[in-house]
Amino acid sequence: MKPEKVPEATITRLSLYSRFLDEMLARGVEKVSSVDIAKGVQGTPAQVRKDLAYFGDFGMRGVGYNVANLNAIINEILGVDHPWKMILIGAGNLGSALTHYAGFAKRGFRMSAVFDNDVNKIGMTLNGLPILPITQLVDYVDANGVDIAVLAVPAASAQGVADLLCETKIKGIMNFSPSSLVSCDSIEIRQIDLAVSLEGLSYRIKNK
């Protein structure tokens, strides 16, 4: 169940499907159809079926999908069927907000520490997480088997941090800084640019 190439948009929609299925499970719903899922995520039944078809045939015609089974399959596809170890780099305003986001832990992403180069913050805690010096980053990542680093640092600092992470065994970077990163081939990078998302929204509003 590992297709060679799946569109990024499909992976995004799988996350939405899983959240919808979580809601159905909480309500005690046992069966759903592609029409139900489409309504729940503001999509189309055909798109739901096409997205799922990349990974197999999980429903029965005229019966639909078993909610618990389909959700478990999607979680396995997304890799959230087991916990991920995560750290945050940057103890500023954005970093502080990210440590308060409950959605990380709910989906299995466990943040264990924050790193910063501000001597006034090092040794303190941020939402219960220790703030450690950036000089300890490489040793901490490998000693604790960290999988993912979340970057919430200024653009001028982002590439330097990425270079440090290339010296570790980390698997992925989620980059919130407004700077595109050049990194080693072993690390997957996801760029989260809030300004770009807002510009896309403003375009849609303007041209609606």
Side-chain angles (χ1 to χ4, degrees), residues 173-192:
I173 296 173
M174 177 177 283
N175 181 29
F176 280 91
S177 72
S179 175
S180 297
L181 301 179
V182 177
S183 186
C184 37
D185 293 338
S186 61
I187 300 178
E188 289 288 334
I189 297 177
R190 286 296 177 271
Q191 181 74 34
I192 311 296

Side-chain angles (χ1 to χ4, degrees), residues 195-208:
V196 169
S197 296
L198 283 171
E199 288 164 6
L201 177 61
S202 67
Y203 170 83
R204 293 297 182 186
I205 293 171
K206 179 181 177 181
N207 294 279
K208 188 173 182 179

Side-chain angles (χ1 to χ4, degrees), residues 23-111:
E23 294 175 6
M24 294 300 99
L25 282 172
R27 289 165 50 184
V29 177
E30 296 182 357
K31 297 284 185 180
V32 293
S33 66
S34 57
V35 174
D36 297 326
I37 298 173
K39 287 180 179 178
V41 302
Q42 298 182 344
T44 67
Q47 186 66 69
V48 172
R49 292 191 293 269
K50 181 178 179 181
D51 289 338
L52 295 177
Y54 280 107
F55 304 95
D57 185 9
F58 309 117
M60 296 180 61
R61 186 178 298 275
V63 177
Y65 305 97
N66 178 281
V67 174
N69 288 347
L70 181 60
N71 200 30
I73 289 168
I74 292 177
N75 285 342
E76 181 182 356
I77 292 169
L78 293 174
V80 294
D81 55 333
H82 62 84
W84 293 89
K85 296 180 180 179
M86 189 165 70
I87 56 169
L88 170 69
I89 305 172
N93 292 334
L94 177 56
S96 178
L98 291 171
T99 64
H100 284 82
Y101 177 55
F104 288 146
K106 185 177 180 181
R107 299 294 289 178
F109 298 94
R110 310 293 182 183
M111 194 175 290

Side-chain angles (χ1 to χ4, degrees), residues 89 134 137-138 149 151 153 157-168 170 173 175 177 179-184 187 189:
I89 305 172
I134 199 74
L137 176 65
V138 173
L151 269 61
V153 299
S157 304
Q159 186 58 57
V161 173
D163 292 342
L164 275 178
L165 290 169
C166 278
E167 299 177 21
T168 74
I170 207 158
I173 296 173
N175 181 29
S177 72
S179 175
S180 297
L181 301 179
V182 177
S183 186
C184 37
I187 300 178
I189 297 177

Side-chain angles (χ1 to χ4, degrees), residues 91 96 99-100 114 120-132:
S96 178
T99 64
H100 284 82
V114 181
N120 295 314
K121 295 177 180 178
I122 293 169
M124 301 180 69
T125 61
L126 188 60
N127 193 26
L129 300 172
I131 302 177
L132 306 176

